[in-house]
Amino acid sequence: MRLLKFLFAMILIAFGILLVLNNIGVYDFQLGDAWGYMYPSFFIVYGLFSLWKYLRKKGGGWMFSSFLIIFGTLLLLDRFQYISFGFWDVFQLWPLFIVYLGVAIINSRQSGWVQYSKGDTYTKGSSHFSIGDYQQKQDWNLEPLNLRNLAGDFYLDLTKAYIPDKTTPISIRSLAGDVTVLVPEHVDFRVDAAINAGEIIVLNDISDGINRSIIYESENYQYASKKVDLFIRLKAGSIRVERI
């Protein structure tokens, strides 16, 4: 609610400034064109707010924030007739994702192994997508995990983990990287894995190429009290699930 009030206030301020510029003859602004100025301003303000949260390590994400700021700025420049850029020209910004991927890879190499927190957020304080690697291979307590990554690897050694006597969900999503999960012999598990380009190996089941998927359940999964539910989605890379 506070965010909505803030955005609404900033849009009113921008709208008022445009009216002032119109009244003093600096810029010809028609009330009928108000929406064309307001929604780009919304993108910019929301992007700045999200970037501010990211810099304060309270959420947000620099990639999403910067994209909104760039997109909104280009729309406003079009409204002021400096350039020609419409809403559906957003697809012309696709090279930005190549830039973001390059930055992500550089940061992941610099940071090495990065420990994420459990749940929807992680220790670096960015938004849903992250940069870097995730590794769990020492003694640790397994809890429900929701891990999302832009570029990097995941390594989970469940043989070194304390696994509770219940169903523990693990969700992993990434654009590029490798996922390795080692499951102990005495624990039943289910895998729902899909990849756009690469390979999936679940025990002796191998699938590689374009748009591949594997769904696997261990023999006693439905009846076991202690079990792990793996949900893995990758754009490119490899997925490997093994029993140890």
Side-chain angles (χ1 to χ4, degrees), residues 24-98:
I24 64 177
V26 174
Y27 181 74
D28 184 18
F29 175 71
Q30 302 296 324
L31 288 176
D33 299 329
W35 176 245
Y37 293 89
M38 290 175 67
Y39 79 84
S41 300
F42 175 86
F43 290 144
I44 295 173
V45 172
Y46 187 84
L48 291 172
F49 181 79
S50 180
L51 183 61
W52 176 71
K53 289 179 61 179
Y54 169 76
L55 294 175
R56 296 189 63 193
K57 301 185 182 300
K58 292 186 177 182
W62 72 269
M63 294 183 187
F64 179 67
S65 304
S66 62
F67 181 83
L68 286 181
I69 294 170
I70 292 170
F71 183 45
T73 300
L74 291 174
L75 288 173
L76 276 185
L77 289 175
D78 172 78
R79 303 303 182 267
F80 287 105
Q81 300 180 357
Y82 287 106
I83 63 173
S84 176
F85 187 87
F87 183 86
W88 295 110
D89 291 325
V90 63
F91 297 106
Q92 296 181 15
L93 301 180
W94 68 263
L96 282 176
F97 293 98
I98 298 178

Side-chain angles (χ1 to χ4, degrees), residues 117-209:
S117 65
K118 301 165 182 64
D120 289 329
T121 57
Y122 56 92
T123 55
K124 285 214 166 183
S126 65
S127 61
H128 296 294
F129 281 105
S130 54
I131 301 170
D133 300 328
Y134 177 94
Q135 182 183 40
Q136 284 282 20
K137 63 179 183 178
Q138 303 300 327
D139 295 337
W140 55 293
N141 294 323
L142 179 63
E143 298 178 6
L145 295 171
N146 185 4
L147 307 172
R148 300 190 181 192
N149 206 343
L150 183 65
D153 300 332
F154 296 89
Y155 184 92
L156 280 74
D157 186 351
L158 302 185
T159 66
K160 305 294 185 181
Y162 168 74
I163 302 176
D165 195 22
K166 62 180 181 179
T167 301
T168 304
I170 298 176
S171 175
I172 300 174
R173 297 176 183 268
S174 182
L175 294 185
D178 297 328
V179 176
T180 301
V181 182
L182 306 181
V183 183
E185 287 285 351
H186 65 281
V187 175
D188 286 284
F189 68 98
R190 182 181 189 276
V191 178
D192 181 349
I195 194 168
N196 287 27
E199 68 174 3
I200 305 173
I201 303 174
V202 179
L203 304 185
N204 295 322
D205 194 356
I206 301 175
S207 179
D208 61 350

Side-chain angles (χ1 to χ4, degrees), residues 187-230:
V187 175
D188 286 284
F189 68 98
R190 182 181 189 276
V191 178
D192 181 349
I195 194 168
N196 287 27
E199 68 174 3
I200 305 173
I201 303 174
V202 179
L203 304 185
N204 295 322
D205 194 356
I206 301 175
S207 179
D208 61 350
I210 304 299
N211 293 328
R212 299 300 180 181
S213 64
I214 289 179
I215 296 178
Y216 171 86
E217 282 188 6
S218 60
E219 184 176 355
N220 297 317
Y221 176 84
Q222 294 295 334
Y223 309 102
S225 58
K226 178 187 295 187
K227 51 190 176 183
V228 176
D229 193 345
L230 297 166

Side-chain angles (χ1 to χ4, degrees), residues 102-114 124 131-133 151-152:
V103 174
I105 293 173
I106 292 173
N107 286 346
S108 110
R109 289 177 178 269
Q110 291 176 343
S111 58
W113 290 111
V114 177
K124 285 214 166 183
I131 301 170
D133 300 328

